Amino acid sequence: MENNEHAWGKLLKYYRQKKKRKQDDVAFGICTPSYLSRIENGLVIAEHSIYAQLLENLGIDFNQLEQQLKNQTAFLEQLYEKLLLNAELTSDEIKQLTDIQNDEQPFEQQLMAKLVYARFLYSIKEDDEARTILNEVEPLVSWKKDRITQLFVAITAFGHLSFHEFEQLSLKEAENQFAQYLSNAHPFELANYHYHIAFANHRSYKLHKALEHIELAQQFFIHQYKPLFQLKLYSMKGVIFNDLHRFREAIQEFEAGLELLSNVQTIQTPVQWSSLHNNIAYCFECQENFPEASKHYELANQYDEDLHSAINWMRTCFVQKDFDQLEILFNRYEEIRFTVPHHIYQRRLLQYAVDTAHTIRGLKLLEDEAFTHFDEQQYYSLILFYAPLWGQFYEQLHAYKQASHCYRQALEASEKVRQRMSS
């Protein structure tokens, strides 16, 4: 609900039309019909007593309605904050959220409830249904600094991440500066939005833009106690520094994350420990400190929560020629356990890489499947690792044309990364 009298004008129009009353009847004894029309359309703001009398003519208690709408708005805001903090909604909360969307509620309450419900759907991976709701709401967004616009901007951004539309989100913010609509929102919401934009820019290899937005997120998050989000900020900034080859600063961010995680029991989950150790390990892997990388990948895999770290550990074992440990990992993490395509392809590539019976046909089949997927999904770092390796295998089989093609793929991936990092 808008926190001003313009909202009461809209409500008057809503209830008058709902009760099928004419402006002349409702305005009788209070104001002229033309003045009521101007109130309803937000052209004038009347005195508080005028709204109360007009609503009374519609059989509505102004004070009771005001309190009801305040309670509903507070409830929706409470649910939205829970969703931002990755907290689950109760079945009763979900039912109430669904009820507020019905036609018996004021229109803006319905819109706000629909937006919060869309954010809930994203949290339970019902992405298509969430996007359908957002598409329905979009034509009704005013594109002012009101609550509906703020929620639409923030939830749409989260939706782009859910669909892995990183480049699209990055460009939308760069071209439209949607963050401006959140300038008068709660600082945590603004911090959350900049975190999402940083994430999108990082995945689009626009690392300097990513760093700019993560620093904005930190700036707006000052003096707030939400340790899980603070941990996300440390991790994201560390990952960005790592990809900028600012390794010392990356380790500082990760160490700050470790200290926070060690001291705040409420956020000490296997997922958080595993994710943080995986990030530290990858930082050491990028510095070619493979023993230290393996140590942290092993720590990450103790929690058995993140198969991404399992793949990364396999890759590090291969580079170190620690084939005994690699075989243990292959047996522990069979292909059937993986669901993410780039994890499946990496496992197949690594399994085939340790096979002594390479054939041109076998190499080509894997190359066509895996490298095409890596390029489509913009996993250029994976092309930079596996394409030269495949080139070497082709050379050993005297398949120099195929080897040259692999090296060219690596060169093109490197150029794409360079262009984006310099943009």
Short mmCIF file of all heavy atoms in Angstrom, two decimals, residues 164-207:
data_model
loop_
_atom_site.label_atom_id
_atom_site.label_comp_id
_atom_site.label_asym_id
_atom_site.label_seq_id
_atom_site.Cartn_x
_atom_site.Cartn_y
_atom_site.Cartn_z
N HIS A 164 19.11 -18.08 -14.93
CA HIS A 164 20.50 -17.96 -15.39
C HIS A 164 20.64 -16.93 -16.52
O HIS A 164 21.48 -17.08 -17.40
CB HIS A 164 21.03 -19.32 -15.86
CG HIS A 164 21.20 -20.30 -14.74
ND1 HIS A 164 21.75 -21.56 -14.91
CD2 HIS A 164 20.89 -20.22 -13.42
CE1 HIS A 164 21.77 -22.20 -13.76
NE2 HIS A 164 21.24 -21.40 -12.84
N GLU A 165 19.82 -15.88 -16.47
CA GLU A 165 19.87 -14.82 -17.47
C GLU A 165 20.78 -13.70 -16.97
O GLU A 165 20.35 -12.57 -16.77
CB GLU A 165 18.45 -14.32 -17.75
CG GLU A 165 17.56 -15.40 -18.37
CD GLU A 165 16.09 -15.04 -18.35
OE1 GLU A 165 15.70 -14.09 -17.65
OE2 GLU A 165 15.30 -15.73 -19.04
N PHE A 166 22.03 -14.04 -16.80
CA PHE A 166 22.97 -13.12 -16.17
C PHE A 166 23.27 -11.91 -17.06
O PHE A 166 23.27 -10.77 -16.59
CB PHE A 166 24.27 -13.86 -15.82
CG PHE A 166 24.04 -15.11 -15.03
CD1 PHE A 166 24.36 -16.36 -15.56
CD2 PHE A 166 23.49 -15.06 -13.76
CE1 PHE A 166 24.15 -17.52 -14.84
CE2 PHE A 166 23.27 -16.21 -13.02
CZ PHE A 166 23.60 -17.44 -13.57
N GLU A 167 23.53 -12.16 -18.32
CA GLU A 167 23.84 -11.07 -19.25
C GLU A 167 22.65 -10.12 -19.38
O GLU A 167 22.81 -8.91 -19.40
CB GLU A 167 24.23 -11.66 -20.61
CG GLU A 167 24.56 -10.62 -21.67
CD GLU A 167 25.90 -9.96 -21.46
OE1 GLU A 167 26.67 -10.41 -20.58
OE2 GLU A 167 26.19 -8.98 -22.18
N GLN A 168 21.45 -10.69 -19.45
CA GLN A 168 20.24 -9.87 -19.59
C GLN A 168 20.05 -8.96 -18.38
O GLN A 168 19.75 -7.78 -18.52
CB GLN A 168 19.01 -10.78 -19.75
CG GLN A 168 17.72 -10.03 -20.04
CD GLN A 168 16.56 -10.96 -20.31
OE1 GLN A 168 16.74 -12.14 -20.61
NE2 GLN A 168 15.35 -10.45 -20.19
N LEU A 169 20.24 -9.50 -17.18
CA LEU A 169 20.09 -8.69 -15.96
C LEU A 169 21.17 -7.62 -15.89
O LEU A 169 20.89 -6.46 -15.55
CB LEU A 169 20.14 -9.58 -14.72
CG LEU A 169 20.07 -8.86 -13.37
CD1 LEU A 169 18.85 -7.97 -13.27
CD2 LEU A 169 20.09 -9.88 -12.23
N SER A 170 22.39 -7.99 -16.22
CA SER A 170 23.49 -7.04 -16.21
C SER A 170 23.21 -5.86 -17.14
O SER A 170 23.39 -4.69 -16.77
CB SER A 170 24.79 -7.74 -16.64
OG SER A 170 25.82 -6.82 -16.89
N LEU A 171 22.75 -6.14 -18.35
CA LEU A 171 22.46 -5.08 -19.32
C LEU A 171 21.27 -4.23 -18.91
O LEU A 171 21.28 -3.01 -19.08
CB LEU A 171 22.20 -5.71 -20.70
CG LEU A 171 23.43 -6.29 -21.41
CD1 LEU A 171 23.02 -7.02 -22.68
CD2 LEU A 171 24.43 -5.19 -21.75
N LYS A 172 20.23 -4.87 -18.35
CA LYS A 172 19.04 -4.11 -17.94
C LYS A 172 19.39 -3.06 -16.90
O LYS A 172 18.93 -1.92 -16.97
CB LYS A 172 17.98 -5.07 -17.37
CG LYS A 172 17.15 -5.76 -18.43
CD LYS A 172 16.14 -6.71 -17.83
CE LYS A 172 15.02 -5.98 -17.13
NZ LYS A 172 13.94 -6.90 -16.69
N GLU A 173 20.22 -3.43 -15.92
CA GLU A 173 20.59 -2.46 -14.89
C GLU A 173 21.51 -1.38 -15.46
O GLU A 173 21.35 -0.20 -15.16
CB GLU A 173 21.28 -3.17 -13.72
CG GLU A 173 21.82 -2.24 -12.65
CD GLU A 173 20.75 -1.32 -12.06
OE1 GLU A 173 19.56 -1.70 -12.01
OE2 GLU A 173 21.11 -0.19 -11.67
N ALA A 174 22.44 -1.77 -16.33
CA ALA A 174 23.36 -0.79 -16.92
C ALA A 174 22.61 0.23 -17.77
O ALA A 174 22.93 1.42 -17.77
CB ALA A 174 24.41 -1.52 -17.76
N GLU A 175 21.59 -0.23 -18.50
CA GLU A 175 20.87 0.66 -19.41
C GLU A 175 19.77 1.47 -18.73
O GLU A 175 19.49 2.60 -19.13
CB GLU A 175 20.26 -0.18 -20.55
CG GLU A 175 21.31 -0.80 -21.47
CD GLU A 175 20.70 -1.79 -22.46
OE1 GLU A 175 19.47 -1.99 -22.41
OE2 GLU A 175 21.46 -2.36 -23.27
N ASN A 176 19.14 0.90 -17.70
CA ASN A 176 17.95 1.54 -17.11
C ASN A 176 18.14 2.08 -15.70
O ASN A 176 17.30 2.82 -15.21
CB ASN A 176 16.79 0.54 -17.11
CG ASN A 176 16.41 0.08 -18.50
OD1 ASN A 176 15.87 0.83 -19.29
ND2 ASN A 176 16.72 -1.18 -18.80
N GLN A 177 19.24 1.67 -15.06
CA GLN A 177 19.51 2.14 -13.68
C GLN A 177 18.29 1.90 -12.76
O GLN A 177 17.81 2.79 -12.08
CB GLN A 177 19.86 3.63 -13.69
CG GLN A 177 21.05 3.99 -14.55
CD GLN A 177 22.36 3.43 -14.00
OE1 GLN A 177 22.70 3.64 -12.85
NE2 GLN A 177 23.09 2.69 -14.83
N PHE A 178 17.82 0.66 -12.76
CA PHE A 178 16.64 0.33 -11.96
C PHE A 178 16.88 0.50 -10.46
O PHE A 178 15.92 0.64 -9.69
CB PHE A 178 16.20 -1.11 -12.24
CG PHE A 178 15.49 -1.27 -13.56
CD1 PHE A 178 15.76 -2.36 -14.38
CD2 PHE A 178 14.57 -0.34 -13.99
CE1 PHE A 178 15.11 -2.52 -15.59
CE2 PHE A 178 13.92 -0.48 -15.21
CZ PHE A 178 14.19 -1.58 -16.01
N ALA A 179 18.14 0.50 -10.03
CA ALA A 179 18.44 0.68 -8.60
C ALA A 179 17.88 1.99 -8.07
O ALA A 179 17.61 2.10 -6.86
CB ALA A 179 19.95 0.61 -8.37
N GLN A 180 17.68 2.95 -8.94
CA GLN A 180 17.16 4.26 -8.50
C GLN A 180 15.79 4.13 -7.85
O GLN A 180 15.44 4.90 -6.96
CB GLN A 180 17.09 5.23 -9.67
CG GLN A 180 16.07 4.81 -10.73
CD GLN A 180 15.96 5.78 -11.87
OE1 GLN A 180 15.71 6.96 -11.66
NE2 GLN A 180 16.16 5.29 -13.10
N TYR A 181 14.99 3.15 -8.31
CA TYR A 181 13.64 2.99 -7.75
C TYR A 181 13.69 2.47 -6.31
O TYR A 181 12.70 2.58 -5.59
CB TYR A 181 12.82 2.04 -8.62
CG TYR A 181 12.55 2.59 -10.00
CD1 TYR A 181 13.15 2.02 -11.12
CD2 TYR A 181 11.71 3.68 -10.19
CE1 TYR A 181 12.92 2.52 -12.40
CE2 TYR A 181 11.47 4.19 -11.45
CZ TYR A 181 12.08 3.62 -12.55
OH TYR A 181 11.84 4.13 -13.80
N LEU A 182 14.82 1.91 -5.91
CA LEU A 182 14.96 1.36 -4.56
C LEU A 182 15.67 2.33 -3.62
O LEU A 182 15.96 1.98 -2.48
CB LEU A 182 15.75 0.04 -4.62
CG LEU A 182 15.04 -1.12 -5.33
CD1 LEU A 182 16.04 -2.20 -5.69
CD2 LEU A 182 13.93 -1.68 -4.47
N SER A 183 15.95 3.55 -4.09
CA SER A 183 16.76 4.48 -3.30
C SER A 183 16.10 4.85 -1.97
O SER A 183 16.79 5.20 -1.02
CB SER A 183 17.06 5.75 -4.11
OG SER A 183 15.86 6.42 -4.45
N ASN A 184 14.77 4.79 -1.90
CA ASN A 184 14.10 5.11 -0.64
C ASN A 184 13.53 3.86 0.05
O ASN A 184 12.73 3.96 0.96
CB ASN A 184 12.97 6.12 -0.86
CG ASN A 184 11.90 5.60 -1.81
OD1 ASN A 184 12.16 4.70 -2.61
ND2 ASN A 184 10.70 6.16 -1.73
N ALA A 185 13.95 2.67 -0.43
CA ALA A 185 13.55 1.42 0.22
C ALA A 185 14.47 1.17 1.42
O ALA A 185 15.42 1.91 1.68
CB ALA A 185 13.64 0.27 -0.77
N HIS A 186 14.19 0.09 2.16
CA HIS A 186 15.06 -0.28 3.28
C HIS A 186 16.47 -0.57 2.76
O HIS A 186 16.63 -1.21 1.71
CB HIS A 186 14.49 -1.51 3.98
CG HIS A 186 15.17 -1.82 5.27
ND1 HIS A 186 16.41 -2.44 5.35
CD2 HIS A 186 14.79 -1.58 6.56
CE1 HIS A 186 16.76 -2.57 6.61
NE2 HIS A 186 15.80 -2.06 7.37
N PRO A 187 17.52 -0.11 3.45
CA PRO A 187 18.89 -0.32 2.97
C PRO A 187 19.22 -1.79 2.68
O PRO A 187 19.99 -2.08 1.76
CB PRO A 187 19.75 0.23 4.11
CG PRO A 187 18.89 1.24 4.78
CD PRO A 187 17.49 0.72 4.67
N PHE A 188 18.63 -2.71 3.45
CA PHE A 188 18.90 -4.14 3.21
C PHE A 188 18.39 -4.57 1.84
O PHE A 188 19.03 -5.36 1.15
CB PHE A 188 18.28 -4.99 4.31
CG PHE A 188 18.43 -6.47 4.06
CD1 PHE A 188 19.67 -7.03 3.88
CD2 PHE A 188 17.31 -7.30 4.00
CE1 PHE A 188 19.82 -8.40 3.64
CE2 PHE A 188 17.44 -8.66 3.77
CZ PHE A 188 18.70 -9.20 3.59
N GLU A 189 17.23 -4.05 1.45
CA GLU A 189 16.69 -4.40 0.14
C GLU A 189 17.60 -3.87 -0.97
O GLU A 189 17.83 -4.54 -1.98
CB GLU A 189 15.29 -3.83 -0.03
CG GLU A 189 14.25 -4.50 0.84
CD GLU A 189 12.86 -3.98 0.57
OE1 GLU A 189 12.48 -3.88 -0.62
OE2 GLU A 189 12.14 -3.67 1.54
N LEU A 190 18.09 -2.66 -0.78
CA LEU A 190 19.00 -2.08 -1.78
C LEU A 190 20.31 -2.86 -1.83
O LEU A 190 20.85 -3.12 -2.91
CB LEU A 190 19.26 -0.61 -1.44
CG LEU A 190 19.91 0.26 -2.51
CD1 LEU A 190 19.19 0.13 -3.85
CD2 LEU A 190 19.94 1.71 -2.07
N ALA A 191 20.81 -3.26 -0.66
CA ALA A 191 22.02 -4.07 -0.61
C ALA A 191 21.80 -5.41 -1.32
O ALA A 191 22.65 -5.88 -2.08
CB ALA A 191 22.43 -4.31 0.84
N ASN A 192 20.64 -6.01 -1.08
CA ASN A 192 20.30 -7.29 -1.70
C ASN A 192 20.25 -7.16 -3.22
O ASN A 192 20.75 -8.03 -3.95
CB ASN A 192 18.95 -7.76 -1.16
CG ASN A 192 18.85 -9.26 -1.10
OD1 ASN A 192 18.76 -9.91 -2.13
ND2 ASN A 192 18.85 -9.82 0.10
N TYR A 193 19.66 -6.07 -3.69
CA TYR A 193 19.56 -5.85 -5.13
C TYR A 193 20.95 -5.70 -5.76
O TYR A 193 21.25 -6.32 -6.79
CB TYR A 193 18.72 -4.60 -5.43
CG TYR A 193 18.57 -4.32 -6.90
CD1 TYR A 193 17.71 -5.07 -7.69
CD2 TYR A 193 19.30 -3.29 -7.51
CE1 TYR A 193 17.58 -4.82 -9.05
CE2 TYR A 193 19.17 -3.04 -8.86
CZ TYR A 193 18.31 -3.80 -9.63
OH TYR A 193 18.20 -3.56 -10.98
N HIS A 194 21.81 -4.91 -5.14
CA HIS A 194 23.16 -4.73 -5.68
C HIS A 194 23.96 -6.04 -5.63
O HIS A 194 24.79 -6.29 -6.51
CB HIS A 194 23.89 -3.62 -4.94
CG HIS A 194 23.50 -2.24 -5.39
ND1 HIS A 194 23.79 -1.75 -6.65
CD2 HIS A 194 22.82 -1.25 -4.75
CE1 HIS A 194 23.32 -0.52 -6.77
NE2 HIS A 194 22.73 -0.19 -5.64
N TYR A 195 23.69 -6.85 -4.62
CA TYR A 195 24.34 -8.18 -4.56
C TYR A 195 23.94 -9.01 -5.80
O TYR A 195 24.78 -9.65 -6.43
CB TYR A 195 23.93 -8.90 -3.29
CG TYR A 195 24.38 -10.35 -3.25
CD1 TYR A 195 25.67 -10.69 -2.86
CD2 TYR A 195 23.52 -11.38 -3.65
CE1 TYR A 195 26.09 -12.01 -2.85
CE2 TYR A 195 23.93 -12.69 -3.64
CZ TYR A 195 25.21 -13.02 -3.24
OH TYR A 195 25.62 -14.33 -3.23
N HIS A 196 22.65 -8.99 -6.14
CA HIS A 196 22.18 -9.75 -7.30
C HIS A 196 22.79 -9.20 -8.60
O HIS A 196 23.15 -9.98 -9.49
CB HIS A 196 20.65 -9.70 -7.38
CG HIS A 196 19.99 -10.47 -6.29
ND1 HIS A 196 18.74 -10.15 -5.80
CD2 HIS A 196 20.39 -11.56 -5.58
CE1 HIS A 196 18.40 -11.01 -4.85
NE2 HIS A 196 19.40 -11.86 -4.69
N ILE A 197 22.91 -7.89 -8.71
CA ILE A 197 23.52 -7.30 -9.92
C ILE A 197 25.01 -7.65 -9.98
O ILE A 197 25.55 -7.90 -11.06
CB ILE A 197 23.32 -5.77 -9.94
CG1 ILE A 197 21.82 -5.42 -9.89
CG2 ILE A 197 23.95 -5.17 -11.20
CD1 ILE A 197 20.98 -6.01 -11.00
N ALA A 198 25.66 -7.66 -8.82
CA ALA A 198 27.07 -8.07 -8.78
C ALA A 198 27.21 -9.51 -9.26
O ALA A 198 28.11 -9.84 -10.04
CB ALA A 198 27.61 -7.93 -7.36
N PHE A 199 26.32 -10.38 -8.79
CA PHE A 199 26.35 -11.79 -9.18
C PHE A 199 26.18 -11.92 -10.70
O PHE A 199 26.92 -12.66 -11.36
CB PHE A 199 25.22 -12.53 -8.47
CG PHE A 199 25.31 -14.03 -8.56
CD1 PHE A 199 25.82 -14.77 -7.52
CD2 PHE A 199 24.88 -14.70 -9.71
CE1 PHE A 199 25.91 -16.16 -7.61
CE2 PHE A 199 24.97 -16.08 -9.80
CZ PHE A 199 25.49 -16.82 -8.75
N ALA A 200 25.22 -11.18 -11.26
CA ALA A 200 24.97 -11.25 -12.71
C ALA A 200 26.17 -10.75 -13.51
O ALA A 200 26.56 -11.35 -14.52
CB ALA A 200 23.74 -10.42 -13.06
N ASN A 201 26.78 -9.66 -13.06
CA ASN A 201 27.96 -9.13 -13.75
C ASN A 201 29.14 -10.07 -13.64
O ASN A 201 29.91 -10.23 -14.60
CB ASN A 201 28.32 -7.75 -13.19
CG ASN A 201 27.51 -6.63 -13.82
OD1 ASN A 201 27.67 -6.33 -14.99
ND2 ASN A 201 26.62 -6.04 -13.04
N HIS A 202 29.29 -10.72 -12.50
CA HIS A 202 30.38 -11.67 -12.34
C HIS A 202 30.23 -12.84 -13.30
O HIS A 202 31.17 -13.24 -13.97
CB HIS A 202 30.43 -12.19 -10.89
CG HIS A 202 31.43 -13.29 -10.70
ND1 HIS A 202 31.07 -14.62 -10.60
CD2 HIS A 202 32.79 -13.27 -10.62
CE1 HIS A 202 32.14 -15.36 -10.46
NE2 HIS A 202 33.20 -14.57 -10.46
N ARG A 203 29.01 -13.37 -13.38
CA ARG A 203 28.77 -14.49 -14.28
C ARG A 203 28.86 -14.08 -15.75
O ARG A 203 29.01 -14.92 -16.62
CB ARG A 203 27.42 -15.13 -13.99
CG ARG A 203 27.39 -16.02 -12.76
CD ARG A 203 28.35 -17.19 -12.87
NE ARG A 203 28.12 -17.95 -14.07
CZ ARG A 203 27.27 -18.96 -14.17
NH1 ARG A 203 26.55 -19.32 -13.12
NH2 ARG A 203 27.12 -19.61 -15.30
N SER A 204 28.75 -12.77 -16.01
CA SER A 204 28.90 -12.26 -17.38
C SER A 204 30.33 -11.82 -17.66
O SER A 204 30.60 -11.20 -18.69
CB SER A 204 27.95 -11.07 -17.61
OG SER A 204 26.61 -11.44 -17.38
N TYR A 205 31.25 -12.10 -16.72
CA TYR A 205 32.67 -11.74 -16.83
C TYR A 205 32.90 -10.24 -16.86
O TYR A 205 33.94 -9.77 -17.33
CB TYR A 205 33.31 -12.40 -18.06
CG TYR A 205 33.39 -13.90 -17.96
CD1 TYR A 205 32.36 -14.70 -18.42
CD2 TYR A 205 34.48 -14.53 -17.38
CE1 TYR A 205 32.41 -16.08 -18.32
CE2 TYR A 205 34.55 -15.92 -17.28
CZ TYR A 205 33.51 -16.69 -17.74
OH TYR A 205 33.56 -18.05 -17.62
N LYS A 206 31.95 -9.47 -16.36
CA LYS A 206 32.14 -8.02 -16.23
C LYS A 206 32.59 -7.76 -14.79
O LYS A 206 31.82 -7.30 -13.94
CB LYS A 206 30.84 -7.29 -16.55
CG LYS A 206 30.37 -7.54 -17.98
CD LYS A 206 28.99 -6.98 -18.23
CE LYS A 206 28.50 -7.32 -19.63
NZ LYS A 206 27.11 -6.89 -19.85
N LEU A 207 33.84 -8.08 -14.55
CA LEU A 207 34.31 -8.19 -13.16
C LEU A 207 34.43 -6.83 -12.47
O LEU A 207 34.18 -6.73 -11.26
CB LEU A 207 35.65 -8.93 -13.14
CG LEU A 207 35.61 -10.34 -13.73
CD1 LEU A 207 36.98 -11.00 -13.64
CD2 LEU A 207 34.57 -11.20 -13.04
#
